[in-house]
Amino acid sequence: MSLEYHQSKTIQLSARCKNDLPTVLDILKNDGLVALPTETVYGLAANGFSSAAILKVFKAKDRPANNPLILHTDNIEKASNLFDLSKIATKNRFLKLAHMFWPGPLTIVAKKRSHLPKEATAGLEQVAVRIPQNEVTNKILSCLDFPLVMPSANLSTRPSPTRAEHVLKTLDGRIDAVLDDGPCLVGIESTVVRIDNDVVEILRPGMIQPTEIETCLDEPVKNFAGVAKAPLCPGQSYLHYSPNVCVVKLYSKEDIDERWLYDDVIIAQKNIFSQKEKILGSRPKESVSIILNDDTLVFAQELYSALYQAEGYPKKQLSIVKPEGSEALAVLDRISRAVR
Ligand code: TXA
Ligand code: MG
């Protein structure tokens, strides 16, 4: 059966088409790979109980084998069976978080049950689990008796996909199918929180804020100690998520003045473009301005599309102006990783 879905052609399926669901289930039950929509980004789904299927995910994405995957399920009972919740404090934290935030953009990392394939967790003692919020994907999960690993459905080091067309840009011919359900609502990956008996820690910022987790658990949460503490200056360099253009640089609102008259692609919020135009005049004719929403949540939704759009222009530099505002931490983290 799995030979039928061989890796040279990626079938394009639609969430609107009822007949496409059995095809998705068929592929997944036969260790194939399907990109599925979630509310955060599109994920590359495969049987999370099958080492063979998981190895195909690493190969299709060119993902280093030491980067563990998130297991996705559709209900709390199935999720709790993936964890070892024998420690009472861990169990209580898990139940509070799961009931408050699932289905939704939160991934919980905790001690794993021993039966899970080591390939999913990259050999770690802890496993990451999430219940996503997407009608068709949750329906698919409910029809399966195994969880799905779902890393973002992009080649490793490229931007995460928030539309089916982004998936095809980097994985066409490398996966069996993609299920199109339009643009993702959140637009950046889930918040990752680690819980064990002694500590609660944010491993990756996302749209669910540390303060929301603190309120839910009624205890302090160790915050993500990544990019927010580093100086956000031009030239900051990260490889992950880098779009396929020559130079990507991150600017503050103040520093972008120095790039305004260059032949760059500039991605910024609308209010920044209008402020700068008043002071500095129009940008050169050959330059490209990608205008994103002033609301940080909508900015996040549009960000990865803007990065893919920027790749379409043969320009020397992509300059991104960082957004301001309290929800910006996760967005800044993603932008910083696009910078190289
Ligand atoms: O929103 C999301 O989380 C998306 C959608 C498709 O669900 N998935 C996603 O997967 O972003 P991925 O593979 O691109 O990112 C998974 C993150 C990585 O940062 C990985 O290191 C971390 O979760 N992670 C996974 N398992 C872990 C573990 N056992 N311990 C610590 N971190 C883990
Ligand atoms: Mg990813």
Side-chain angles (χ1 to χ4, degrees):
M1 181 56 129
S2 56
L3 280 179
E4 215 177 287
Y5 306 108
H6 82 82
Q7 302 286 300
S8 62
K9 194 165 178 294
T10 297
I11 311 167
Q12 294 184 46
L13 304 169
S14 166
R16 315 260 169 282
C17 179
K18 274 211 167 92
N19 292 339
D20 283 351
L21 287 202
T23 311
V24 171
L25 294 173
D26 225 26
I27 297 172
L28 293 170
K29 286 175 185 169
N30 285 283
D31 279 356
L33 309 183
V34 189
L36 295 181
T38 83
E39 81 282 31
T40 57
V41 300
Y42 277 75
L44 182 55
N47 182 346
F49 283 165
S50 160
S51 298
I54 297 170
L55 288 172
K56 282 190 197 169
V57 168
F58 280 97
K59 192 164 174 219
K61 277 180 61 77
D62 264 341
R63 182 177 175 110
N66 63 2
N67 192 0
L69 303 172
I70 300 170
L71 291 178
H72 296 70
T73 66
D74 66 299
N75 72 50
I76 293 179
E77 199 193 331
K78 283 189 195 171
S80 62
N81 285 332
L82 301 169
F83 291 117
D84 171 351
L85 296 173
S86 54
K87 293 261 175 15
I88 192 73
T90 310
K91 183 172 181 179
N92 287 340
R93 288 178 176 128
F94 166 76
L95 288 174
K96 282 185 190 166
L97 290 173
H99 285 285
M100 174 72 89
F101 296 109
W102 282 350
L106 183 75
T107 293
I108 300 177
V109 173
K111 191 165 180 212
K112 69 164 194 165
R113 276 268 178 89
S114 54
H115 68 282
L116 302 181
K118 62 178 187 325
E119 290 81 6
T121 60
L124 299 174
E125 281 310 301
Q126 301 203 317
V127 64
V129 179
R130 175 166 111 82
I131 300 183
Q133 184 163 38
N134 175 280
E135 206 182 318
V136 66
T137 293
N138 290 45
K139 169 100 185 120
I140 289 163
L141 286 163
S142 74
C143 295
L144 296 170
D145 56 7
F146 50 80
L148 293 172
V149 288
M150 273 204 265
S152 51
N154 51 282
L155 268 187
S156 201
T157 80
R158 300 294 309 281
S160 291
T162 51
R163 294 167 184 265
E165 70 207 55
H166 300 159
V167 174
L168 291 170
K169 272 180 193 275
T170 73
L171 295 181
D172 195 9
R174 301 174 76 100
I175 62 175
D176 297 293
V178 54
L179 183 69
D180 189 348
D181 191 27
C184 300
L185 288 178
V186 175
I188 60 170
E189 299 89 332
S190 58
T191 304
V192 179
V193 62
R194 183 173 74 88
I195 52 173
D196 64 24
N197 226 39
D198 311 313
V199 74
V200 181
E201 182 185 10
I202 308 284
L203 300 180
R204 177 174 74 180
M207 276 308 158
I208 292 180
Q209 303 299 314
T211 48
E212 294 176 75
I213 294 174
E214 281 179 347
T215 307
C216 168
L217 296 179
D218 198 18
E219 64 178 318
V221 165
K222 198 169 158 208
N223 210 342
F224 168 70
V227 72
K229 292 199 175 143
L232 288 164
C233 55
Q236 194 173 15
S237 174
Y238 291 80
L239 274 179
H240 206 98
Y241 300 104
S242 54
N244 199 16
V245 290
C246 334
V247 185
V248 186
K249 285 191 173 175
L250 177 64
Y251 289 88
S252 69
K253 196 167 97 179
E254 294 73 35
D255 289 335
I256 194 62
D257 293 7
E258 67 185 63
R259 295 307 304 176
W260 191 253
L261 294 177
Y262 284 87
D263 178 18
D264 294 355
V265 179
I266 295 184
I267 297 177
Q269 287 169 308
K270 191 171 180 194
N271 79 79
I272 292 172
F273 277 113
S274 18
Q275 281 176 38
K276 297 294 169 186
E277 223 159 71
K278 276 194 199 124
I279 305 164
L280 304 167
S282 305
R283 300 195 58 224
K285 273 206 185 65
E286 11 10 297
S287 67
V288 178
S289 303
I290 301 181
I291 303 168
L292 297 191
N293 203 288
D294 288 336
D295 182 323
T296 326
L297 294 181
V298 186
F299 182 95
Q301 232 174 49
E302 298 172 340
L303 178 66
Y304 288 135
S305 267
L307 294 180
Y308 276 111
Q309 192 187 335
E311 292 183 10
Y313 303 102
K315 298 290 175 193
K316 284 186 221 73
Q317 183 169 318
L318 165 60
S319 303
I320 307 172
V321 186
K322 67 188 174 84
E324 290 165 333
S326 59
E327 290 126 345
L329 179 63
V331 184
L332 281 177
D333 174 58
R334 302 309 189 277
I335 296 175
S336 305
R337 290 162 193 262
V339 172
R340 62 175 174 181

